Amino acid sequence: MSERKILLRIIDVVVVIVALHLLGVLFQFNYFIIKEEQWIWSVVLAVYLLFFATVFEMYNLQRASHLIGTMRSVVTVASITSFIYLLTPFFTPELPENRIQILYFYMAVTIPLLVWRSVYINFFVSSKFNKNIILIADATDAAIIAQSLQDVDPNYKIRGFINTSPEFVSGHFVGLTVIGIKAAHDLIENKSVTEVVVASGEIEGITSNLYRWLLELVENGYSVREYSQVYEEMTDRVPEQYLGKDFYKYFPFARNNQNRLYLVYHRVFDIIASLGGLIILGLIIPFVVIGNLFGNRGPLFYVQERLGINRKAFNIVKFRTMERDAEKSGAQFAIQDDVRITKFGKLLRATRIDEIPQFWNILKGEMSMIGPRPERQVFVDQLSEKISFYEARHLVKPGLTGWAQVKTKYGVTDADHMRKLQYDLYYIKKRSIFLDIRIIVKTLSTILFFKGQ
């Protein structure tokens, strides 16, 4: 998690708790005053606030930098947080007899958040908070790496570039200033640079002098980080530049892929979630049947062979959302605004209802709640020829939802599929309970805002 996201979360909670406590002290607002025996109220409020703020994407840095969208999100989150907090008196204070205090409570949650987020946009997003770095990279990769960092965060400024390629290649330094170790050290000493990012794949390029200088920086408390680590923290995906290089050097698997405790938790969670999902399926299926009769006019379910873990084939089950002859011209990827999708099918996809029958696949162990989406054999063969490590998606069970699904849209071009693979590999590399929770929360956001595809 980036420092800026941590900052947003911490201050969101602090400004709300402090505002409520001051309101209680100054105006005898007894509904919410932090006391030694009532500290749990603050914890519950913080949990509610952080949960709903995450669902409504208040910690998406791109969205958090725009005033209008942020203000809307703050009002929505404050409203839902206050409502849920007031409706759970077992964990929170009993409702006050003076109902005006409920309004005060809502205002004390909303106004501080609005003020703090306005301050953040006006100051923390400004160029005053540029992160100046020195890049150490090969000449052939420097410009691409520099552009990839600045595409993700325009405030990431590269003040100098140390070339590690044994042969100095011209024409690769657009917008970059080539410097030596002494000039780089002067920039750090003058506090013009806050971090050194190492992106060199040439072992010979890291000379003994450069290596000693980097060690000296680390010993003196300066930040020296590897490029893939920086990129993954900023984008939540693995760098495209390293997908074609040494597999074991740049893509170590998460220990949780072999951690028995994590795998048991994952399977137990899958079973519980699938049983709940099948109960939901039983409740909604009469409505889907009626909608299918009028909107789809054909078979209710759609069964298709997909590849699972270790490329083992299985039949995935979904509610049908396309016309019956959708692939009369051969297999093809679904695209945004696909004309083959029926009107009722669009509703099923937007709400993700079409995916609910897959809980049966999860219960059988063919799928998991979270993982890369299962793909068809014909598409796997095509994409494996074009994209390095595409087969790595089959190292874990495919999922009903996944990191790529909540972070990207449909894959149409090779570049789109490359982007989705970057997210899938990031999940396999960083797989953990915390990342699973993030995916579930983002999936809820997708459902709430009808962003399914």
Side-chain angles (χ1 to χ4, degrees):
M1 190 182 300
S2 72
E3 296 92 336
R4 197 170 295 187
K5 289 181 181 180
I6 294 174
L7 175 73
L8 287 173
R9 284 179 165 87
I10 292 175
I11 301 187
D12 279 353
V13 172
V14 169
V15 296
V16 169
I17 298 296
V18 170
L20 284 167
H21 186 69
L22 290 177
L23 185 68
V25 172
L26 297 176
F27 300 100
Q28 287 75 51
F29 174 62
N30 297 320
Y31 180 64
F32 191 101
I33 296 182
I34 301 175
K35 297 179 181 178
E36 184 176 348
E37 66 275 12
Q38 298 168 338
W39 60 270
I40 192 65
W41 296 351
S42 303
V43 176
V44 172
L45 180 62
V47 170
Y48 287 165
L49 178 63
L50 292 174
F51 176 77
F52 291 114
T54 303
V55 169
F56 288 93
E57 300 186 341
M58 280 178 59
Y59 304 117
N60 180 309
L61 295 182
Q62 283 72 33
R63 294 191 60 170
S65 63
H66 295 92
L67 184 62
I68 301 301
T70 297
M71 296 303 102
R72 289 174 179 169
S73 296
V74 166
V75 172
T76 302
V77 169
S79 300
I80 295 178
T81 299
S82 301
F83 181 72
I84 298 298
Y85 187 84
L86 291 166
L87 288 183
T88 53
F90 181 77
F91 302 103
T92 59
E94 294 183 2
L95 291 176
E97 295 181 1
N98 185 356
R99 301 305 183 192
I100 194 65
Q101 291 195 13
I102 295 177
L103 176 61
Y104 292 159
F105 177 84
Y106 173 70
M107 292 175 63
V109 174
T110 307
I111 294 176
L113 280 176
L114 289 172
V115 173
W116 146 238
R117 286 307 187 105
S118 297
V119 171
Y120 169 78
I121 291 171
N122 285 298
F123 293 97
F124 285 77
V125 181
S126 71
S127 59
K128 296 177 183 178
F129 289 83
N130 285 342
K131 191 161 190 176
N132 298 316
I133 70 167
I134 290 172
L135 178 65
I136 300 176
D138 307 334
T140 52
D141 297 332
I144 298 175
I145 290 173
Q147 190 61 51
S148 69
L149 291 173
Q150 292 180 326
D151 285 344
V152 175
D153 188 349
N155 291 329
Y156 229 79
K157 305 297 182 183
I158 298 175
R159 296 293 305 275
F161 155 57
I162 298 177
N163 178 38
T164 57
S165 180
E167 297 181 0
F168 192 92
V169 182
S170 62
H172 293 281
F173 310 109
V174 178
L176 298 178
T177 302
V178 184
I179 61 175
I181 295 177
K182 185 179 185 308
H185 192 76
D186 290 340
L187 286 172
I188 293 175
E189 286 290 311
N190 296 331
K191 302 190 183 302
S192 300
V193 166
T194 56
E195 187 170 69
V196 176
V197 176
V198 182
S200 176
E202 297 284 350
I203 298 176
E204 299 86 356
I206 305 293
T207 63
S208 58
N209 287 337
L210 181 55
Y211 182 71
R212 282 197 298 270
W213 178 64
L214 292 175
L215 282 179
E216 182 183 334
L217 291 179
V218 174
E219 289 171 355
N220 291 323
Y222 293 105
S223 176
V224 178
R225 296 201 293 168
E226 200 269 328
Y227 163 67
S228 63
Q229 178 189 7
V230 175
Y231 186 87
E232 287 172 7
E233 287 183 3
M234 294 168 64
T235 65
D236 293 327
R237 61 178 187 267
V238 299
E240 178 181 348
Q241 290 82 5
Y242 288 163
L243 288 183
K245 295 192 177 182
D246 184 71
F247 187 82
Y248 293 102
K249 181 177 180 181
Y250 293 107
F251 187 60
F253 291 115
R255 287 176 295 177
N256 283 327
N257 290 318
Q258 288 81 37
N259 185 312
R260 289 185 178 274
L261 182 60
Y262 174 80
L263 294 177
V264 168
Y265 139 76
H266 217 265
R267 184 55 186 154
V268 170
F269 174 71
D270 284 346
I271 292 173
I272 295 173
S274 61
L275 291 174
L278 291 173
I279 292 173
I280 295 174
L281 175 63
L283 295 174
I284 68 169
I285 200 166
F287 302 99
V288 179
V289 169
I290 295 172
N292 185 70
L293 288 174
F294 293 97
N296 282 351
R297 298 183 180 182
L300 178 64
F301 294 104
Y302 178 70
V303 180
Q304 189 179 72
E305 187 177 272
R306 300 285 178 95
L307 294 185
I309 187 171
N310 300 327
R311 291 180 63 92
K312 184 178 180 181
F314 70 98
N315 290 321
I316 196 172
V317 185
K318 300 176 67 174
F319 284 126
R320 186 174 60 87
T321 59
M322 290 189 176
E323 300 169 347
R324 280 179 287 185
D325 299 325
E327 291 192 329
K328 57 185 176 183
S329 302
Q332 53 185 300
F333 287 109
I335 61 175
Q336 192 168 4
D337 300 323
D338 200 317
V339 295
R340 299 173 297 164
I341 301 175
T342 65
K343 291 183 178 179
F344 184 61
K346 289 181 180 178
L347 174 63
L348 293 178
R349 286 179 175 241
T351 56
R352 292 287 183 95
I353 291 176
D354 65 312
E355 310 281 5
I356 291 180
Q358 291 169 54
F359 282 112
W360 175 243
N361 296 113
I362 296 174
L363 186 62
K364 290 168 64 179
E366 298 166 333
M367 291 177 60
S368 178
M369 273 295 296
I370 301 169
R373 284 296 291 164
E375 197 50 86
R376 299 166 67 178
Q377 176 78 60
V378 59
F379 297 140
V380 170
D381 292 341
Q382 291 175 12
L383 293 170
S384 296
E385 292 180 1
K386 301 175 182 178
I387 304 175
S388 301
F389 301 151
Y390 191 81
E391 293 283 2
R393 299 170 77 255
H394 302 116
L395 292 171
V396 298
K397 284 184 182 180
L400 178 65
T401 185
W403 197 227
Q405 278 59 54
V406 299
K407 298 290 282 187
T408 61
K409 297 183 179 180
Y410 273 120
V412 179
T413 65
D414 289 345
D416 293 334
H417 290 292
M418 171 69 82
R419 178 65 61 87
K420 293 186 71 174
L421 178 63
Q422 288 176 266
Y423 284 115
D424 284 333
L425 294 183
Y426 178 89
Y427 173 73
I428 298 172
K429 181 177 180 179
K430 303 285 187 179
R431 201 175 179 205
S432 66
I433 293 176
F434 179 72
L435 184 54
D436 290 343
I437 293 173
R438 290 181 67 188
I439 293 171
I440 293 297
V441 170
K442 285 183 175 292
T443 301
L444 292 174
S445 176
T446 299
I447 296 171
L448 288 173
F449 290 111
F450 297 95
K451 293 189 293 186
Q453 303 169 59

